[in-house]
Structures are given as structure tokens and as C-alpha cells.
Amino acid sequence: MKILKTFLFVLLGALAGFSYAQSNNIIKMVVAFPPGGPVDSMARSLVEPLGKELNAQIVIENKSGGNGAIAAEYLAANPADGKTLWFTSAGAVAINPGLYEKLSYNPMKDLAPVSLVANNVEVLVVNPNSPANNAAEFVALAKSKELTMGSSGTGSVPHLALEQLNDSAGVKILHVPYKGAAPAITDVMAGHIDGFFGDIPGLIGYIKSGKLKSIGLAADKRNSAIPDVKTFNEMGIKGVDTNNWYAVFVKAGTPKADVERLSMALKKILKQDPLNSKLSQSGSEPVGSTPEELGNVLKKDTAKWSQLIKAKKITAE
């Protein structure tokens, strides 16, 4: 009995020590959007598998506002120790530098890339009653009459995709900015505007239910969630290549060993089910990367979007 009591005492002590260690190994994942949106939802899908891989508790902190500035400032206020992550879409880090004359943060200098998480290409959707059944027919329609397309806001990925389409196809589809994707989607379904570019995960439910018709992918290959939808390239419309990728960054100055550990953990869990299948079925392409690969994507897309924004004289609202 004495031996049993001793064993139980040691076991309880070990469990208490493990629990204490877990409670002190907390990693904050900052999301620059409110709860319930696509970026927040994907961040939350990472919490359990990433926490297990890192033997840590991942806590989501929503810091919305300022088109990413609030989240960036919060990240800057925390130590560069790999315990505060910024999970963001491309807009806040690759588009904002070209969109705003004065930005309170410099993604190239203030952030350390960790890993890509998912590629989210844009799909063009129209009302089911639209006479256009593919992007080529939509372009032909735009050359015969004035069409309108909504976006989730001036300078957003959907807006820039529209500008690419106008340039590539030689058309002048009128841009109608909304405050978020939801009202724009609603107006496409109601027939108030003619089309909308959006991330596949945010539109897949409407497409599958027949509430929206998908007619073209702004990507270099088809998507497994909607395999029958052709890319713009396939239809002879070159240069429409938007990717609203999601990625993880940490504060610049974070030790390289911590960055590498986070990157390897993300790459590992993104290859595993059920996370991999969940993201793929939603229309996202799960894709882990090295910090260097994410850095190259950031540099390339910042230059691409800044050039388009400057050429079109787009300014933030």
C-alpha cells in the first residue's frame, strides 16, 4: 500500500508538472480580422494540430482594424521569441504597401516569414441566370454592354482581379466596391451586379447549391473542388492570376531556430488529414513552405500589386 501511495504521489506530481508546463507554453496567433471570417476560420482549424505538434496551447487573438495595422502593431509590441504569430492573408502584407502612402509597418523589414499555409485563388461567379457560361462569354458580353462587378473593397484582391481582367481582355467593367464580400455576393445573387471575384472557400457553398455560377479561375491550374471550371488562361485570357494566399509571420528578429521550428511544424500538419482534406475540400490548396519561399512570394506579389495599383491610380478608401 505504501508503494502504491508513493507511485500515485509521483504520478500526480508528474501530471501537475506537465499541466504547468503546458499552461506556460502558450503561443498567441494574431488574426487581423473579426471572428467568423475566412481568415479567422482557417486560423482556428490550425489550432489543434499545430498545438499538438509544438506541444503548446495556441490561443487566437483577433486584432481587426486598420487593414492589418492593428495586428501589426500588436505583433511589434510583443517579444521576438516565436510566441506571437501573425496569421494573415496576402492583402495586409503584399497589397497594403502599394495602397497606402503611409503605413505604420513595413512587412519586408518588420516581419519574419515563417510559412505559407494555403493558396486561395479567385473564381469569377455570376448569377445563375446570366447568359455567360464561361469567362470568354462574359468578356464578349462586356464588349457589347456595360457590366458591373462588385468587390469586398477598394484595393482588395477581388478588385485587383477585376483590374487584371479589364486589362487582359480589353474591357471596361465597372467596379462597385462594397464593405466586405457578403453584401457583394448577395447583390450578385439578387441580380443587382453582374459578377464577383472571390476566394473559392468563401463561395464554394453558393456554387455547390446553384445559387451562383462559377465561370472562370484566376489561376494557372484548375481546382479540385470545382474541377469543371476552366482557368482564364485556358480560355485565352492571359494575365488574370490572383492568389489570396494565407501565411504565418513572426516579428523580425525572432531567432532563426524558432522560425525554422514553426515552419517545419506547419509544413508537417498541412500534409496530414483531417486538416489537409478539410482545406482541399473547401477549395483552398494547403501548402507549407520554407521561410525563404514565403519571403520570395511576398517580394514578388508586393511588386506585382504595387505596379498595378500605381498604374490604375488606386487609393485607399
Side-chain angles (χ1 to χ4, degrees):
M1 179 65 73
K2 186 176 181 181
I3 294 174
L4 178 60
K5 286 183 177 179
T6 302
F7 171 75
L8 290 172
F9 179 79
V10 172
L11 178 61
L12 289 170
L15 289 172
F18 177 76
S19 176
Y20 177 79
Q22 282 287 87
S23 66
N24 279 269
N25 192 14
I26 295 175
I27 294 175
K28 295 181 287 188
M29 183 177 286
V30 183
V31 178
F33 299 91
V39 180
D40 176 76
S41 297
M42 189 174 292
R44 292 180 189 279
S45 71
L46 299 176
V47 166
E48 184 178 354
L50 185 60
K52 286 182 179 179
E53 186 62 30
L54 294 171
N55 191 30
Q57 180 183 355
I58 312 291
V59 179
I60 300 290
E61 295 206 6
N62 298 91
K63 301 292 180 181
S64 57
N67 288 307
I70 303 299
E73 289 164 7
Y74 180 78
L75 181 68
N78 279 269
D81 58 3
K83 293 296 181 91
T84 305
L85 318 179
W86 186 11
F87 183 68
T88 182
S89 58
V93 289
I95 295 175
N96 279 359
L99 191 61
Y100 293 89
E101 285 188 19
K102 293 181 180 180
L103 201 60
S104 63
Y105 61 100
N106 184 327
M108 296 290 188
K109 295 180 180 180
D110 299 336
L111 304 176
V114 175
S115 175
L116 282 166
V117 171
N119 289 325
N120 293 297
V121 299
E122 301 298 283
V123 59
L124 173 57
V125 292
V126 296
N127 187 284
N129 295 323
S130 170
N133 293 307
N134 57 54
E137 291 179 358
F138 189 76
V139 166
L141 195 63
K143 290 180 177 179
S144 66
K145 59 182 288 190
E146 183 177 84
L147 297 184
T148 57
M149 282 185 60
S151 80
S152 50
T154 299
S156 63
V157 173
H159 176 199
L160 299 181
L162 168 57
E163 296 295 352
Q164 285 187 327
L165 176 60
N166 277 338
D167 282 354
S168 300
V171 292
K172 292 183 179 179
I173 300 169
L174 181 65
H175 172 230
V176 183
Y178 288 78
K179 292 183 177 180
I185 293 168
T186 298
D187 274 4
V188 176
M189 291 190 292
H192 299 317
I193 55 175
D194 298 298
F196 175 73
F197 271 113
D199 297 358
I200 296 175
L203 295 170
I204 191 71
Y206 300 106
I207 295 169
K208 296 290 188 183
S209 65
K211 294 179 179 178
L212 290 172
K213 181 165 55 174
S214 50
I215 61 172
L217 275 181
D220 58 3
K221 60 181 179 181
R222 296 196 191 189
N223 187 281
S224 60
I226 44 175
D228 295 333
V229 181
K230 293 181 179 180
T231 68
F232 282 87
N233 276 338
E234 286 182 89
M235 291 178 274
I237 304 167
K238 309 296 182 181
V240 186
D241 59 344
T242 55
N243 177 10
N244 189 20
W245 44 262
Y246 293 177
V248 171
F249 293 84
V250 290
K251 185 177 179 179
T254 298
K256 187 175 180 180
D258 290 329
V259 175
E260 292 289 347
R261 181 172 64 91
L262 291 166
S263 175
M264 290 175 65
L266 282 162
K267 286 175 69 176
K268 183 176 179 179
I269 66 167
L270 287 164
K271 292 179 181 178
Q272 298 173 338
D273 286 331
L275 179 61
N276 183 281
S277 294
K278 179 182 178 181
L279 297 183
S280 297
Q281 289 167 8
S282 75
S284 281
E285 179 190 6
V287 52
S289 74
T290 65
E292 293 75 20
E293 288 168 338
L294 173 55
N296 289 335
V297 170
L298 175 63
K299 185 177 180 180
K300 179 182 176 183
D301 275 14
T302 299
K304 178 176 77 172
W305 295 132
S306 294
Q307 183 178 4
L308 181 62
I309 289 167
K310 184 178 180 180
K312 295 292 183 177
K313 299 179 180 179
I314 299 170
T315 57
E317 294 174 322

